[in-house]
Amino acid sequence: MKPSIAFFDFDGTITRKDTLFEIIRYHKGEASLYMGLLVLSPALILFKMKLVSNQAIKQLVLQYFFRNMPEDVFRERCAEFCRDRLPSLVRDSALNAIRQHLAKGHQVSVVTASGQEWVAPWCESLGIGCIGTRLEIRNAKITGRIHGVNCNGEEKVNRIRQQFDLSGYDDIYAYGDTVGDKPMLQMATYGYFRRF
């Protein structure tokens, strides 16, 4: 009998809030977050009007808040965020579902458009995998650019297939809450939309 595997979206599925803004708040503080959003508001409006891509707006936000931050400092703060702040954002029902899959011996991985840096430490604490958007690092500093493609939509399926040979699994479970999760849900044997 082949093993089973479960893929979970992160923001909005496991968490109650988008963690991009939460990680900014944690790193920079409330006042800096709102000042930055005010400065970036023309671009955010264009994004809402679908005139700017998801990847472009994410890079703009990341560059504004994190460009030139030393990589080691960024990673350390992200690990602190996972330990100190993230648990209060996690839905109990989603965490229970992850634990149920693990108890059944299923492999579990988070597949997220959020940065691996602020999701992977939390995943590691549960003993589950993490596939996320990778941030570009140059000269040991965050550039604010995305390395490759934002892990959303079809890219979620691409990244899953790069890491896993799905023919080696009997049942594939997937959980998501947005249109960007639909390709992953359609790939699964059992796809759950807004389950939690």
Side-chain angles (χ1 to χ4, degrees):
M1 197 172 147
K2 295 176 184 176
S4 296
I5 192 166
F7 299 107
F8 286 77
D9 167 57
F10 195 65
D11 294 301
T13 299
I14 292 175
T15 67
R16 289 188 297 277
K17 293 183 177 180
D18 188 310
T19 56
L20 174 59
F21 297 112
E22 293 304 310
I23 195 72
I24 293 167
R25 182 181 278 113
Y26 190 82
H27 274 266
K28 303 292 184 178
E30 198 90 16
S32 292
L33 170 63
Y34 289 119
M35 180 57 71
L37 293 178
L38 187 63
V39 170
L40 295 169
S41 60
L44 292 167
I45 291 166
L46 292 174
F47 170 67
K48 286 290 184 189
M49 295 169 65
K50 301 192 186 307
L51 297 173
V52 174
S53 73
N54 194 300
Q55 178 148 337
I57 195 67
K58 183 178 280 187
Q59 287 188 141
L60 200 61
V61 170
L62 289 168
Q63 286 172 342
Y64 180 88
F65 289 103
F66 298 121
R67 183 172 40 209
N68 293 326
M69 178 180 277
E71 179 190 4
D72 58 347
V73 173
F74 183 73
R75 288 185 186 280
E76 186 178 319
R77 291 288 284 157
C78 288
E80 289 170 4
F81 169 79
C82 286
R83 186 187 66 233
D84 301 336
R85 176 77 179 109
L86 194 51
S88 67
L89 303 175
V90 171
R91 296 177 193 272
D92 290 339
S93 53
L95 187 56
N96 287 339
I98 290 169
R99 287 178 172 149
Q100 284 170 13
H101 279 291
L102 292 172
K104 291 175 183 175
H106 299 174
Q107 203 167 343
V108 178
S109 186
V110 166
V111 186
T112 177
S114 277
Q116 284 188 176
E117 288 78 5
W118 68 83
V119 180
W122 181 82
C123 292
E124 287 163 13
S125 74
L126 293 174
I128 64 177
C130 180
I131 299 171
T133 296
R134 295 175 287 219
L135 304 189
E136 183 184 74
I137 311 292
R138 280 197 189 159
N139 302 318
K141 290 185 178 179
I142 303 292
T143 67
R145 296 189 59 77
I146 290 169
H147 177 75
V149 180
N150 189 37
C151 188
N152 194 32
E154 288 294 339
E155 183 62 14
K156 287 195 173 192
V157 175
N158 294 340
R159 296 281 301 282
I160 287 169
R161 291 191 187 282
Q162 284 169 17
Q163 195 161 324
F164 299 98
D165 175 7
L166 297 180
S167 66
Y169 296 90
D170 255 348
D171 291 324
I172 301 165
Y173 299 84
Y175 301 83
D177 74 308
T178 66
V179 172
D181 298 317
K182 287 291 177 78
M184 181 174 76
L185 300 182
Q186 290 164 356
M187 170 209 75
T189 319
Y190 303 101
Y192 298 102
F193 187 68
R194 297 183 179 167
R195 180 69 180 266
F196 311 117

